[in-house]
Amino acid sequence: MAERSFVEEVKKLRLGAGEVFSGEGILAVTKALLESGVSYVAGYQGAPISHLMDVLADAQDILTDHGIRFENSASEATAAATLAASVNYPLRGAVTFKATVGTNVASDALANLASGGVLGGALIIVGEDYGEGSSIMQERSHAFAMKSQMWLLDPRPNLPCIVQAVKDGFDLSEASSTPVMLQLRIRACHVHGQFVASDNKRANFTIKQALARPQRDVNRIVLPPASFLHEKEKVEQRWPAAVRFIKERQLNEFFSEKDDDVGIVVQGGSYNTLIRALNKLGLADVYGESKVPLYVMNVAYPLIDDEFERFCEGKRAVLVLEEGQPNFIEQNVADILRRLKSPTTLHGKDLLPLAGEYNTAIMLAGIKAFLQQYGKIPADPKERKVIPLQPVSAEASAELAANVHARPPGFCTGCPERPIFTAMKLVERELGPHHVTADIGCHLFSILPPFNIGATTMGYGLGAASAAAFNTPGAKRAISVMGDGGFWHNGLTSGIANAVFNRSDNLTIVVDNSYTSATGGQDILSSTALNDTRSTGHEIEKAVRGVGVEWVHRVKRTYDLKTMMATLREALTTKEAGPKVLIAQSECMLNKQRREKPKVRKAVAAGERVVRERFGVDPDTCTGDHSCIRLSGCPSLTIKPNPDPLRTDPVAAVQDSCVGCGLCGEVSHAAVLCPSFYRAEVITNPSRMDKFKKRVGGAVIGWLQGRDARRREELAF
């Protein structure tokens, strides 16, 4: 069950030539693939590109009509290796995943693909995830393109440019026998707009034809002596072919080229931000008409020497806008200008921050300093011309901390992973702290308050492998955590099987919530939901036992805190040798609510009786200990003023967002035997019996309360 359905939107993918397509960037990419005559598509979900996999899954009937093979790959490496179909056959193929973590996982396959080269067009659509909104290490796809000599497209973020980039990418790949990377930043993935559609195309050469007439070219296989010739082929044949194609197709764009003696060089993906900054300076209108000469590189790699020579001719200075370090483009431009013996002065990181995303404010400041330096706009004596990356002062940090509360990411309300870490914290009180290695996924939030569990995270499915060095006899067992998505992605072999082979005695907790929840709730092998196009229902326990693990325990309901604690305690204290695997199961609450809430709304609208469980706190009983919050952290738990005037500590309270998972009550009893929590049933469209019980109950309670009040009055006198 994906985060959202695109069933209605994918109908637009059938639009023909001349019709106007309106929609999101991801949908435009899918439409461009159909118009390009693609034969197969594969990929692994990950923000900001997850939606592309969801769109493709919802467009299965359209893909089938055009003979296109689509796969949800087990990992990014699996997806990249799928492009091997384009090595020997004129088949156009595309894969997609999140960068740079996806590119790292896929690197071996991509490097081999780039070495041998391709016959058919091979396109890697990368969801670039650089900047403060990212959840990954701050690296860029640019480095990988340079390392393996693949061409990198970075189109302007509007639908016509994105669609054209997909088509150009296939053509460029075929013209240069090289795989092409197309990076789409977050805004490009989600931008809305229009473009004039073309007819969808069936592939000229099909997968069935390839299977009927198998082909092989030894020179394309990465083995000596061919592998030694591939590097020369890249430089002597493929690179010149790519440069010719880029120049002839005019993939890079010049705007207001001769309007001034200074200019700005920018990657296509940053074009909209640049135009907004120039607009704020009064140097461009909202339609993109710039008074400053611009060279827009829709191809970020390779750089075209001739085009830089053309753009820099007659200019005193150019400013290169490039996010992040190392400044690959700026260094390359400096080399080009030096070899050309150009008198043009080059600026870049001297006027802009060395690292970090270039938003409008940052870009505005850097461009302003550049233009002031060359007398294009009046200089303000109070402003700095150079804007280095300055650390925040201790005083400023202290002031921010005092006035702005930190809002770290956390688990959703009712998340079934929260009780796992609650149990770990409670067991830690008994057995002491253990070294814990984390993994990629929702459970990574356990590193943050209130749990503060986890020391490292090395990659998707590598949680268990991260604890491999801590397998020492007689010491405490290390604990590793991975999700079911990470387990099937990489964890089964790199973590569990590796632990068996090396006779590890550590504990691995596999969080089985039925989906790859962190990427949008897509189905996986162990999902319990039926999927018409995928094979689900394969148990993690069987796979674990299949590679040789003997101590395997399964907790079928993570909210059962006592069972979770008892199982953890046994795993950490048992005398049985060998790797321990605890499979903690409960459905992702977010996906469960996505499925159940529409049913509830429909039932309520139809007048049916609906019962919803929720929890509350009796403010008169609550002691203000707040262990329920400290050991749960649920967003529906908060505090409010204590009703007792003799007590100053605020009491706990449950907001209406509660989904009735019951963990807060479990925590309270497990931690301090707190009696303040109660469970209530909220009944919508009650029956006559419900109303009768309510009246009788209310009358009895009212009588008891009245009697108690009278007794208190008598005692007072």
Side-chain angles (χ1 to χ4, degrees):
M1 179 181 180
E3 182 177 344
R4 60 162 292 197
S5 171
F6 288 87
V7 171
E8 290 301 316
E9 287 96 329
V10 297
K11 294 177 182 177
K12 300 176 183 178
L13 299 176
R14 296 188 183 276
L15 293 177
E19 295 183 272
V20 177
F21 184 104
S22 299
E24 197 174 1
I26 289 297
L27 282 162
V29 171
T30 313
K31 175 60 173 162
L33 291 173
L34 290 167
E35 293 180 2
S36 299
V38 70
S39 296
Y40 63 95
V41 186
Y44 193 85
Q45 58 274 355
I49 210 74
S50 291
H51 288 48
L52 180 53
M53 297 299 294
D54 298 337
V55 168
L56 290 165
D58 286 338
Q60 287 275 29
D61 56 339
I62 301 174
L63 299 179
T64 301
D65 289 346
H66 289 79
I68 300 170
R69 169 64 181 169
F70 168 62
E71 277 202 2
N72 285 93
S73 306
S75 70
E76 295 87 352
T78 307
T82 305
L83 290 171
S86 295
V87 171
N88 294 302
Y89 305 97
L91 294 168
R92 286 189 165 185
V95 299
T96 181
F97 40 73
K98 174 190 181 87
T100 55
V101 285
T103 309
N104 292 339
V105 173
S107 60
D108 201 19
L110 290 177
N112 278 279
L113 185 76
S115 182
V118 294
L119 179 62
L123 189 67
I124 303 108
I125 303 169
V126 174
E128 193 72 352
D129 197 10
Y130 180 83
E132 291 184 1
S134 172
S135 62
I136 62 170
M137 78 290 286
Q138 290 299 276
E139 295 182 357
R140 295 173 294 152
S141 303
H142 199 112
F144 196 93
M146 294 174 65
K147 177 188 79 68
S148 292
Q149 296 293 282
M150 296 187 294
W151 320 135
L152 176 64
L153 305 185
D154 186 9
R156 288 195 286 138
N158 63 68
L159 264 57
C161 288
I162 292 170
V163 169
Q164 190 58 45
V166 172
K167 298 178 180 180
D168 289 336
F170 281 117
D171 291 342
L172 174 59
S173 176
E174 291 168 350
S176 60
S177 302
T178 303
V180 170
M181 298 178 73
L182 169 64
Q183 74 172 21
L184 295 176
R185 306 171 191 220
I186 294 174
R187 292 175 181 84
C189 290
H190 299 295
V191 68
H192 283 255
Q194 296 180 332
F195 68 95
V196 178
S198 299
D199 289 331
N200 296 333
K201 297 179 181 178
R202 291 183 66 89
N204 295 325
F205 187 82
T206 67
I207 296 173
K208 288 184 178 180
Q209 288 175 297
L211 289 171
R213 296 194 296 274
Q215 302 292 325
R216 62 189 295 267
D217 183 353
V218 176
N219 293 324
R220 298 275 71 80
I221 301 174
V222 187
L223 279 173
S227 54
F228 304 125
L229 301 175
H230 291 165
E231 186 176 19
K232 291 186 65 178
E233 183 181 312
K234 285 180 180 179
V235 176
E236 296 175 358
Q237 297 178 34
R238 298 188 212 165
W239 188 307
V243 170
R244 282 196 303 273
F245 181 91
I246 294 165
K247 290 165 61 177
E248 291 171 3
R249 189 68 68 92
Q250 298 181 358
L251 300 189
N252 296 321
E253 299 172 284
F254 296 84
F255 297 100
S256 307
E257 184 180 359
K258 302 295 184 182
D259 285 2
D260 211 331
D261 61 355
V262 297
I264 298 175
V265 177
V266 65
Q267 290 172 260
S270 298
Y271 171 81
N272 286 6
T273 308
L274 167 61
I275 291 299
R276 177 59 177 155
L278 290 174
N279 177 251
K280 296 282 285 184
L281 291 170
L283 298 173
D285 61 25
V286 294
Y287 302 102
E289 291 293 331
S290 172
K291 297 178 182 178
V292 179
L294 306 178
Y295 176 46
V296 180
M297 296 186 299
N298 295 311
V299 182
Y301 184 80
L303 270 59
I304 311 300
D305 294 28
D306 294 352
E307 293 184 351
F308 272 96
E309 182 178 16
R310 165 186 162 184
F311 184 69
C312 293
E313 185 180 358
K315 290 186 174 57
R316 288 189 291 155
V318 295
L319 173 67
V320 174
L321 299 174
E322 177 187 8
E323 294 174 325
Q325 281 284 9
N327 52 342
F328 300 119
I329 294 175
E330 186 178 344
Q331 292 180 37
N332 202 338
V333 173
D335 180 64
I336 292 171
L337 296 181
R338 183 191 62 79
R339 284 188 281 106
L340 293 173
K341 297 181 180 179
S342 171
T344 304
T345 302
L346 178 63
H347 293 280
K349 296 296 185 184
D350 57 332
L351 297 176
L352 287 124
L354 298 178
E357 184 179 8
Y358 286 179
N359 57 31
T360 302
I362 289 174
M363 205 175 277
L364 174 64
I367 294 169
K368 190 174 184 180
F370 170 67
L371 295 176
Q372 285 177 345
Q373 185 169 336
Y374 289 92
K376 300 303 174 182
I377 56 177
D380 186 340
K382 296 181 181 180
E383 292 181 344
R384 296 173 60 92
K385 291 186 177 181
V386 179
I387 309 170
L389 187 64
Q390 294 284 355
V392 178
S393 66
E395 294 79 7
S397 295
E399 186 176 354
L400 281 172
N403 294 284
V404 181
H405 294 289
R407 296 189 64 185
F411 297 103
C412 301
T413 301
C415 175
E417 300 187 17
R418 188 178 282 109
I420 299 171
F421 302 105
T422 298
M424 289 174 68
K425 295 296 287 186
L426 291 171
V427 170
E428 184 181 279
R429 291 180 177 182
E430 304 172 28
L431 305 179
H434 290 70
H435 180 81
V436 180
T437 59
D439 204 314
I440 303 299
C442 299
H443 42 275
L444 196 59
F445 296 143
S446 64
I447 288 179
L448 303 172
F451 301 112
N452 303 304
I453 289 176
T456 57
T457 174
M458 289 290 105
Y460 201 24
L462 294 177
S466 302
F470 298 94
N471 184 35
T472 302
K476 287 182 181 178
R477 291 184 175 117
I479 304 172
S480 58
V481 184
M482 72 172 74
D484 43 3
F487 174 85
W488 293 114
H489 178 277
N490 199 10
L492 177 58
T493 52
S494 297
I496 306 299
N498 181 69
V500 172
F501 184 68
N502 288 287
R503 297 186 175 181
S504 170
D505 197 40
N506 292 330
L507 167 64
T508 299
I509 301 172
V510 181
V511 182
D512 181 6
N513 59 22
S514 297
Y515 310 92
T516 51
S517 300
T519 63
Q522 291 83 6
D523 287 332
I524 50 178
L525 276 164
S526 52
S527 294
T528 55
L530 296 177
N531 191 310
D532 295 336
T533 60
R534 301 287 178 266
S535 178
T536 54
H538 302 280
E539 295 182 2
I540 291 175
E541 182 176 355
K542 289 184 178 179
V544 167
R545 292 189 184 278
V547 296
V549 180
E550 295 182 1
W551 196 102
V552 184
H553 285 215
R554 178 166 53 165
V555 177
K556 294 186 177 180
R557 183 176 177 273
T558 61
Y559 302 105
D560 184 351
L561 198 57
K562 291 181 180 178
T563 301
M564 277 298 311
M565 290 175 62
T567 310
L568 275 169
R569 191 182 298 112
E570 181 183 348
L572 295 171
T573 59
T574 181
K575 301 298 183 182
E576 185 176 338
K580 321 292 186 292
V581 175
L582 193 166
I583 303 168
Q585 294 179 312
S586 274
E587 183 182 9
C588 168
M589 183 58 74
L590 193 61
N591 268 27
K592 182 178 180 180
Q593 293 299 316
R594 287 185 185 128
R595 185 182 67 250
E596 295 298 331
K597 281 186 176 179
K599 294 180 182 178
V600 171
R601 286 195 295 268
K602 185 177 180 181
V604 169
E608 298 177 17
R609 179 178 182 270
V610 175
V611 180
R612 179 170 70 92
E613 283 190 350
R614 64 159 297 172
F615 283 74
V617 177
D618 180 359
D620 294 322
T621 310
C622 179
T623 64
D625 174 75
H626 304 151
S627 61
C628 53
I629 296 175
R630 288 184 284 107
L631 289 168
S632 168
C634 181
S636 67
L637 278 173
T638 186
I639 57 174
K640 67 179 183 180
N642 200 314
D644 189 338
L646 299 180
R647 293 187 293 173
T648 58
D649 292 333
V651 297
V654 181
Q655 295 179 330
D656 195 48
S657 58
C658 171
V659 295
C661 72
L663 176 62
C664 50
E666 291 271 347
V667 166
S668 298
H669 288 280
V672 291
L673 298 177
C674 174
S676 61
F677 275 83
Y678 63 83
R679 183 179 65 85
E681 290 184 346
V682 180
I683 303 175
T684 307
N685 297 325
S687 65
R688 290 182 178 178
M689 181 57 70
D690 293 325
K691 294 177 181 178
F692 175 73
K693 288 180 179 178
K694 172 67 176 175
R695 285 196 298 270
V696 172
V700 172
I701 292 172
W703 179 77
L704 291 172
Q705 288 176 333
R707 188 184 68 170
D708 184 63
R710 288 190 296 273
R711 185 176 61 84
R712 287 171 182 255
E713 289 177 3
E714 291 172 358
L715 291 174
F717 292 102

